[in-house]
Amino acid sequence: MDSLHKPERLEERYFILFKAQQKILNLRKQHYLHLGIIFFRNYYGILILLMFFSCIGGIVLFVIANQGWLKASPSLRAFFLALALLIAFCGLFPAVFKQEDNFNENMKNYMSYTKAQLNIIDQLSKLSNPYFAVKRDTINNIYITDSISYFNKVDSIITINDIAINNLTNYVLNINFKEVKSMSDVYRMINNNLQNGEDSIKIPTHQ
């Protein structure tokens, strides 16, 4: 934010507002980047675990098939059932919590905030243009600065930025309700996420 260049004609009180807007956008952008990284790691981490447990489960299943289920030791059967539960959990987790979709959504929000930041830089660049707010004096055939028009446009730009920030503020965690039979575990996970996270999460209630 300190790298923003202040236009010569722009008053400091206006420039402070631009810097504040830029700081808000940067904080939100970093937040979405952090969430995107978390969903990315979770998604591919759970896929690696799924492949690992599936390989072990296949070996155990082969051993049990050779011995027969009744002849297999209780510990081996218990181990196979535990692996089956882990495989089912790892298989359902990405689908239930839509890890890939949430990653894509957060990265899209990250890019939207980045674009909004670049817009502020572009706005300040235009405000630095000496021909941004001038009018022609037809009597003397010269161009003079139109201060009223200049600061009216500055006010309009600041308002547009405020609206853009408000419209971009939207935290969503998508959950595929059709993939689960009971929501008790989902609610517990959400509550844990809310307690550990810095921002609130909105759960869409419609399908």
Side-chain angles (χ1 to χ4, degrees):
M1 278 62 68
D2 293 336
S3 61
L4 290 178
H5 176 69
K6 177 182 175 300
E8 183 177 348
R9 294 192 56 225
L10 186 64
E11 295 181 7
E12 183 65 27
R13 60 190 179 94
Y14 284 106
F15 186 59
I16 290 175
L17 293 177
F18 279 105
K19 289 197 296 183
Q21 290 174 335
Q22 183 83 333
K23 184 176 182 179
I24 292 172
L25 291 170
N26 186 65
L27 289 174
R28 304 314 311 147
K29 181 182 76 171
Q30 295 303 322
H31 170 73
Y32 280 112
L33 177 62
H34 177 68
L35 286 180
I37 292 174
I38 290 176
F39 282 116
F40 179 84
R41 290 175 177 172
N42 289 347
Y43 178 67
Y44 286 99
I46 206 75
L47 288 182
I48 292 173
L49 288 176
L50 178 61
M51 290 187 291
F52 176 74
F53 289 134
S54 297
C55 291
I56 297 178
I59 296 173
V60 175
L61 179 62
F62 177 78
V63 174
I64 292 177
N66 285 335
Q67 296 180 0
W69 179 259
L70 296 178
K71 293 183 180 180
S73 64
S75 59
L76 184 61
R77 285 183 288 180
F79 182 59
F80 175 76
L81 291 175
L83 283 174
L85 289 174
L86 287 172
I87 292 172
F89 174 80
C90 293
L92 283 174
F93 189 88
V96 171
F97 289 98
K98 295 187 177 181
Q99 296 289 311
E100 186 175 8
D101 291 344
N102 280 302
F103 166 74
N104 292 331
E105 186 68 21
N106 279 284
M107 294 312 297
K108 184 176 72 174
N109 289 331
Y110 171 80
M111 296 304 298
S112 296
Y113 276 99
T114 301
K115 182 179 179 180
Q117 278 189 299
L118 294 176
N119 285 340
I120 291 182
I121 296 175
D122 181 62
Q123 291 161 0
L124 292 176
S125 175
K126 290 180 179 178
L127 290 175
S128 297
N129 190 327
Y131 300 104
F132 178 76
V134 296
K135 62 181 181 180
R136 185 175 180 180
D137 183 350
T138 56
I139 298 177
N140 299 315
N141 197 26
I142 60 174
Y143 289 93
I144 59 175
T145 301
D146 185 0
S147 299
I148 296 178
S149 174
Y150 182 86
F151 289 108
N152 283 342
K153 291 180 181 179
V154 171
D155 289 333
S156 299
I157 291 172
I158 292 175
T159 301
I160 291 172
N161 291 338
D162 286 337
I163 295 173
I165 292 173
N166 290 330
N167 290 337
L168 286 172
T169 304
N170 181 31
Y171 318 112
V172 178
L173 172 62
N174 291 313
I175 295 178
N176 190 347
F177 295 100
K178 297 179 181 179
E179 296 290 337
V180 291
K181 296 180 179 180
S182 173
M183 289 302 299
S184 58
D185 292 336
V186 176
Y187 290 141
R188 185 168 56 253
M189 293 178 185
I190 293 173
N191 289 329
N192 291 337
N193 197 350
L194 286 173
Q195 293 174 1
N196 296 330
E198 295 179 357
D199 291 278
S200 60
I201 297 175
K202 270 195 310 192
I203 307 299
T205 56
H206 63 278
Q207 293 296 317

